[in-house]
Amino acid sequence: PSEFYFDLGTYPGAKEVRFEIYLLSLNNDLVSAQLYDATNKRAVDFSDLQTTSSTFTRQESSALVIWRGNNKYTLQLRSVNGTEAQLKDARLKILY
């Protein structure tokens, strides 16, 4: 399942949060993944990551814009031409 809850307020002193995944495209077409804030019904700013690689490639976002509160998030995958996208090891990195 790709749903989880996250509240930045439970990490006092955090300087920024980044989104990190390993992403691949089976046909070397463009695929992308992003975080979606289901609580506030919006894509998380700066969370869109892309690749055309047919091997798992580490992708890391710049600092995310996380809204206050205990919000529900999901992962969204997109592809060009119906290309299969796969991801693994998705996580949020909290930097102090």
Side-chain angles (χ1 to χ4, degrees):
S2 68
E3 297 179 346
F4 64 97
Y5 285 86
F6 180 73
D7 184 351
L8 186 57
T10 61
Y11 299 89
K15 301 283 188 231
E16 66 183 52
V17 177
R18 294 182 182 194
F19 177 43
E20 179 185 72
I21 59 171
Y22 287 82
L23 184 64
L24 75 73
S25 167
L26 286 186
N27 294 332
N28 294 99
D29 287 327
L30 182 66
V31 297
S32 62
Q34 73 176 3
L35 282 175
Y36 181 77
D37 179 343
T39 301
N40 295 295
K41 298 177 178 50
R42 60 181 280 280
V44 176
D45 297 335
F46 310 112
S47 70
D48 191 41
L49 301 173
Q50 304 176 343
T51 192
T52 57
S53 176
S54 62
T55 59
F56 279 108
T57 305
R58 182 183 168 277
Q59 304 285 320
E60 184 175 320
S61 73
S62 58
L64 302 176
V65 176
I66 301 290
W67 287 11
R68 283 190 271 186
N70 187 32
N71 300 322
K72 181 180 178 179
Y73 294 90
T74 63
L75 298 175
Q76 295 181 327
L77 291 175
R78 292 186 305 260
S79 67
V80 173
N81 302 324
T83 296
E84 185 176 332
Q86 294 181 7
L87 70 85
K88 66 177 183 176
D89 299 332
R91 67 181 180 158
L92 294 179
K93 286 177 64 175
I94 301 162
L95 305 173
Y96 289 89

PDB file of all heavy atoms in Angstrom, residues 5-23:
ATOM      1  N   TYR A   5       0.565   8.287   6.776  1.00  0.00           N
ATOM      2  CA  TYR A   5       0.325   9.580   7.429  1.00  0.00           C
ATOM      3  C   TYR A   5       1.664  10.154   7.868  1.00  0.00           C
ATOM      4  O   TYR A   5       2.561   9.413   8.285  1.00  0.00           O
ATOM      5  CB  TYR A   5      -0.596   9.410   8.639  1.00  0.00           C
ATOM      6  CG  TYR A   5      -2.035   9.181   8.233  1.00  0.00           C
ATOM      7  CD1 TYR A   5      -2.488   7.905   7.945  1.00  0.00           C
ATOM      8  CD2 TYR A   5      -2.911  10.253   8.108  1.00  0.00           C
ATOM      9  CE1 TYR A   5      -3.796   7.686   7.557  1.00  0.00           C
ATOM     10  CE2 TYR A   5      -4.224  10.039   7.721  1.00  0.00           C
ATOM     11  CZ  TYR A   5      -4.660   8.755   7.442  1.00  0.00           C
ATOM     12  OH  TYR A   5      -5.951   8.539   7.045  1.00  0.00           O
ATOM     13  N   PHE A   6       1.772  11.466   7.765  1.00  0.00           N
ATOM     14  CA  PHE A   6       3.015  12.135   8.146  1.00  0.00           C
ATOM     15  C   PHE A   6       2.682  13.504   8.731  1.00  0.00           C
ATOM     16  O   PHE A   6       1.881  14.247   8.163  1.00  0.00           O
ATOM     17  CB  PHE A   6       3.933  12.295   6.930  1.00  0.00           C
ATOM     18  CG  PHE A   6       5.238  12.970   7.238  1.00  0.00           C
ATOM     19  CD1 PHE A   6       6.235  12.305   7.931  1.00  0.00           C
ATOM     20  CD2 PHE A   6       5.462  14.273   6.838  1.00  0.00           C
ATOM     21  CE1 PHE A   6       7.437  12.927   8.225  1.00  0.00           C
ATOM     22  CE2 PHE A   6       6.671  14.910   7.119  1.00  0.00           C
ATOM     23  CZ  PHE A   6       7.645  14.229   7.815  1.00  0.00           C
ATOM     24  N   ASP A   7       3.316  13.814   9.862  1.00  0.00           N
ATOM     25  CA  ASP A   7       3.153  15.107  10.520  1.00  0.00           C
ATOM     26  C   ASP A   7       4.545  15.652  10.811  1.00  0.00           C
ATOM     27  O   ASP A   7       5.247  15.147  11.684  1.00  0.00           O
ATOM     28  CB  ASP A   7       2.353  14.939  11.804  1.00  0.00           C
ATOM     29  CG  ASP A   7       2.059  16.258  12.507  1.00  0.00           C
ATOM     30  OD1 ASP A   7       2.607  17.308  12.101  1.00  0.00           O
ATOM     31  OD2 ASP A   7       1.284  16.233  13.487  1.00  0.00           O
ATOM     32  N   LEU A   8       4.947  16.663  10.071  1.00  0.00           N
ATOM     33  CA  LEU A   8       6.279  17.252  10.246  1.00  0.00           C
ATOM     34  C   LEU A   8       6.470  17.794  11.658  1.00  0.00           C
ATOM     35  O   LEU A   8       7.587  17.832  12.170  1.00  0.00           O
ATOM     36  CB  LEU A   8       6.511  18.350   9.210  1.00  0.00           C
ATOM     37  CG  LEU A   8       7.897  18.973   9.160  1.00  0.00           C
ATOM     38  CD1 LEU A   8       8.968  17.909   8.918  1.00  0.00           C
ATOM     39  CD2 LEU A   8       7.963  20.052   8.093  1.00  0.00           C
ATOM     40  N   GLY A   9       5.380  18.151  12.328  1.00  0.00           N
ATOM     41  CA  GLY A   9       5.452  18.669  13.697  1.00  0.00           C
ATOM     42  C   GLY A   9       6.020  17.673  14.686  1.00  0.00           C
ATOM     43  O   GLY A   9       6.466  18.058  15.775  1.00  0.00           O
ATOM     44  N   THR A  10       6.023  16.391  14.349  1.00  0.00           N
ATOM     45  CA  THR A  10       6.580  15.377  15.256  1.00  0.00           C
ATOM     46  C   THR A  10       8.087  15.240  15.095  1.00  0.00           C
ATOM     47  O   THR A  10       8.696  14.378  15.740  1.00  0.00           O
ATOM     48  CB  THR A  10       5.903  14.000  15.044  1.00  0.00           C
ATOM     49  OG1 THR A  10       6.147  13.570  13.712  1.00  0.00           O
ATOM     50  CG2 THR A  10       4.411  14.067  15.307  1.00  0.00           C
ATOM     51  N   TYR A  11       8.688  16.076  14.246  1.00  0.00           N
ATOM     52  CA  TYR A  11      10.134  16.082  14.028  1.00  0.00           C
ATOM     53  C   TYR A  11      10.681  17.473  14.317  1.00  0.00           C
ATOM     54  O   TYR A  11      11.095  18.192  13.407  1.00  0.00           O
ATOM     55  CB  TYR A  11      10.473  15.654  12.588  1.00  0.00           C
ATOM     56  CG  TYR A  11      10.013  14.258  12.276  1.00  0.00           C
ATOM     57  CD1 TYR A  11       8.731  14.017  11.779  1.00  0.00           C
ATOM     58  CD2 TYR A  11      10.850  13.170  12.501  1.00  0.00           C
ATOM     59  CE1 TYR A  11       8.303  12.734  11.509  1.00  0.00           C
ATOM     60  CE2 TYR A  11      10.416  11.880  12.236  1.00  0.00           C
ATOM     61  CZ  TYR A  11       9.145  11.676  11.745  1.00  0.00           C
ATOM     62  OH  TYR A  11       8.728  10.395  11.486  1.00  0.00           O
ATOM     63  N   PRO A  12      10.692  17.875  15.591  1.00  0.00           N
ATOM     64  CA  PRO A  12      11.155  19.226  15.924  1.00  0.00           C
ATOM     65  C   PRO A  12      12.615  19.423  15.501  1.00  0.00           C
ATOM     66  O   PRO A  12      13.441  18.527  15.645  1.00  0.00           O
ATOM     67  CB  PRO A  12      11.001  19.311  17.443  1.00  0.00           C
ATOM     68  CG  PRO A  12      10.807  17.918  17.919  1.00  0.00           C
ATOM     69  CD  PRO A  12      10.334  17.101  16.762  1.00  0.00           C
ATOM     70  N   GLY A  13      12.882  20.571  14.950  1.00  0.00           N
ATOM     71  CA  GLY A  13      14.241  20.879  14.514  1.00  0.00           C
ATOM     72  C   GLY A  13      14.559  20.449  13.097  1.00  0.00           C
ATOM     73  O   GLY A  13      15.650  20.699  12.596  1.00  0.00           O
ATOM     74  N   ALA A  14      13.626  19.788  12.415  1.00  0.00           N
ATOM     75  CA  ALA A  14      13.871  19.359  11.038  1.00  0.00           C
ATOM     76  C   ALA A  14      14.034  20.586  10.145  1.00  0.00           C
ATOM     77  O   ALA A  14      13.248  21.526  10.214  1.00  0.00           O
ATOM     78  CB  ALA A  14      12.734  18.492  10.541  1.00  0.00           C
ATOM     79  N   LYS A  15      15.063  20.582   9.316  1.00  0.00           N
ATOM     80  CA  LYS A  15      15.334  21.704   8.407  1.00  0.00           C
ATOM     81  C   LYS A  15      14.585  21.539   7.087  1.00  0.00           C
ATOM     82  O   LYS A  15      14.123  22.507   6.508  1.00  0.00           O
ATOM     83  CB  LYS A  15      16.829  21.817   8.123  1.00  0.00           C
ATOM     84  CG  LYS A  15      17.667  22.030   9.359  1.00  0.00           C
ATOM     85  CD  LYS A  15      17.573  23.451   9.838  1.00  0.00           C
ATOM     86  CE  LYS A  15      18.567  23.686  10.943  1.00  0.00           C
ATOM     87  NZ  LYS A  15      18.004  24.290  12.117  1.00  0.00           N
ATOM     88  N   GLU A  16      14.518  20.299   6.582  1.00  0.00           N
ATOM     89  CA  GLU A  16      13.796  20.044   5.338  1.00  0.00           C
ATOM     90  C   GLU A  16      13.469  18.571   5.218  1.00  0.00           C
ATOM     91  O   GLU A  16      14.037  17.732   5.907  1.00  0.00           O
ATOM     92  CB  GLU A  16      14.563  20.530   4.113  1.00  0.00           C
ATOM     93  CG  GLU A  16      15.846  19.800   3.817  1.00  0.00           C
ATOM     94  CD  GLU A  16      16.577  20.403   2.615  1.00  0.00           C
ATOM     95  OE1 GLU A  16      16.804  21.622   2.583  1.00  0.00           O
ATOM     96  OE2 GLU A  16      16.935  19.614   1.718  1.00  0.00           O
ATOM     97  N   VAL A  17      12.527  18.290   4.307  1.00  0.00           N
ATOM     98  CA  VAL A  17      12.112  16.926   4.003  1.00  0.00           C
ATOM     99  C   VAL A  17      12.285  16.724   2.503  1.00  0.00           C
ATOM    100  O   VAL A  17      11.931  17.597   1.706  1.00  0.00           O
ATOM    101  CB  VAL A  17      10.636  16.688   4.395  1.00  0.00           C
ATOM    102  CG1 VAL A  17      10.192  15.286   4.007  1.00  0.00           C
ATOM    103  CG2 VAL A  17      10.433  16.927   5.870  1.00  0.00           C
ATOM    104  N   ARG A  18      12.842  15.578   2.133  1.00  0.00           N
ATOM    105  CA  ARG A  18      13.011  15.222   0.726  1.00  0.00           C
ATOM    106  C   ARG A  18      12.364  13.872   0.461  1.00  0.00           C
ATOM    107  O   ARG A  18      12.239  13.050   1.354  1.00  0.00           O
ATOM    108  CB  ARG A  18      14.490  15.154   0.356  1.00  0.00           C
ATOM    109  CG  ARG A  18      15.169  16.498   0.435  1.00  0.00           C
ATOM    110  CD  ARG A  18      16.604  16.406   0.027  1.00  0.00           C
ATOM    111  NE  ARG A  18      17.252  17.700   0.152  1.00  0.00           N
ATOM    112  CZ  ARG A  18      18.419  17.978  -0.385  1.00  0.00           C
ATOM    113  NH1 ARG A  18      19.081  17.051  -1.060  1.00  0.00           N
ATOM    114  NH2 ARG A  18      18.929  19.168  -0.249  1.00  0.00           N
ATOM    115  N   PHE A  19      11.980  13.654  -0.785  1.00  0.00           N
ATOM    116  CA  PHE A  19      11.359  12.417  -1.238  1.00  0.00           C
ATOM    117  C   PHE A  19      12.417  11.644  -2.015  1.00  0.00           C
ATOM    118  O   PHE A  19      13.061  12.189  -2.908  1.00  0.00           O
ATOM    119  CB  PHE A  19      10.171  12.781  -2.129  1.00  0.00           C
ATOM    120  CG  PHE A  19       9.435  11.637  -2.760  1.00  0.00           C
ATOM    121  CD1 PHE A  19       9.121  10.489  -2.053  1.00  0.00           C
ATOM    122  CD2 PHE A  19       9.013  11.730  -4.077  1.00  0.00           C
ATOM    123  CE1 PHE A  19       8.414   9.448  -2.652  1.00  0.00           C
ATOM    124  CE2 PHE A  19       8.296  10.705  -4.684  1.00  0.00           C
ATOM    125  CZ  PHE A  19       8.002   9.572  -3.963  1.00  0.00           C
ATOM    126  N   GLU A  20      12.621  10.380  -1.651  1.00  0.00           N
ATOM    127  CA  GLU A  20      13.629   9.550  -2.315  1.00  0.00           C
ATOM    128  C   GLU A  20      12.989   8.236  -2.748  1.00  0.00           C
ATOM    129  O   GLU A  20      12.260   7.614  -1.979  1.00  0.00           O
ATOM    130  CB  GLU A  20      14.786   9.267  -1.366  1.00  0.00           C
ATOM    131  CG  GLU A  20      15.857   8.395  -1.983  1.00  0.00           C
ATOM    132  CD  GLU A  20      16.943   8.025  -0.987  1.00  0.00           C
ATOM    133  OE1 GLU A  20      16.662   7.202  -0.091  1.00  0.00           O
ATOM    134  OE2 GLU A  20      18.042   8.560  -1.107  1.00  0.00           O
ATOM    135  N   ILE A  21      13.284   7.811  -3.988  1.00  0.00           N
ATOM    136  CA  ILE A  21      12.791   6.540  -4.515  1.00  0.00           C
ATOM    137  C   ILE A  21      13.813   5.947  -5.467  1.00  0.00           C
ATOM    138  O   ILE A  21      14.742   6.632  -5.906  1.00  0.00           O
ATOM    139  CB  ILE A  21      11.458   6.697  -5.283  1.00  0.00           C
ATOM    140  CG1 ILE A  21      11.630   7.665  -6.453  1.00  0.00           C
ATOM    141  CG2 ILE A  21      10.330   7.090  -4.396  1.00  0.00           C
ATOM    142  CD1 ILE A  21      10.445   7.708  -7.388  1.00  0.00           C
ATOM    143  N   TYR A  22      13.602   4.693  -5.791  1.00  0.00           N
ATOM    144  CA  TYR A  22      14.296   4.036  -6.897  1.00  0.00           C
ATOM    145  C   TYR A  22      13.215   3.756  -7.930  1.00  0.00           C
ATOM    146  O   TYR A  22      12.224   3.096  -7.640  1.00  0.00           O
ATOM    147  CB  TYR A  22      14.985   2.755  -6.432  1.00  0.00           C
ATOM    148  CG  TYR A  22      16.211   3.037  -5.614  1.00  0.00           C
ATOM    149  CD1 TYR A  22      16.106   3.343  -4.256  1.00  0.00           C
ATOM    150  CD2 TYR A  22      17.468   3.043  -6.193  1.00  0.00           C
ATOM    151  CE1 TYR A  22      17.238   3.633  -3.505  1.00  0.00           C
ATOM    152  CE2 TYR A  22      18.601   3.328  -5.444  1.00  0.00           C
ATOM    153  CZ  TYR A  22      18.477   3.621  -4.102  1.00  0.00           C
ATOM    154  OH  TYR A  22      19.591   3.921  -3.362  1.00  0.00           O
ATOM    155  N   LEU A  23      13.406   4.275  -9.146  1.00  0.00           N
ATOM    156  CA  LEU A  23      12.375   4.264 -10.176  1.00  0.00           C
ATOM    157  C   LEU A  23      12.937   3.693 -11.469  1.00  0.00           C
ATOM    158  O   LEU A  23      14.109   3.921 -11.789  1.00  0.00           O
ATOM    159  CB  LEU A  23      11.912   5.711 -10.397  1.00  0.00           C
ATOM    160  CG  LEU A  23      10.772   6.005 -11.356  1.00  0.00           C
ATOM    161  CD1 LEU A  23       9.471   5.381 -10.868  1.00  0.00           C
ATOM    162  CD2 LEU A  23      10.598   7.524 -11.485  1.00  0.00           C
TER     163      LEU A  23
END
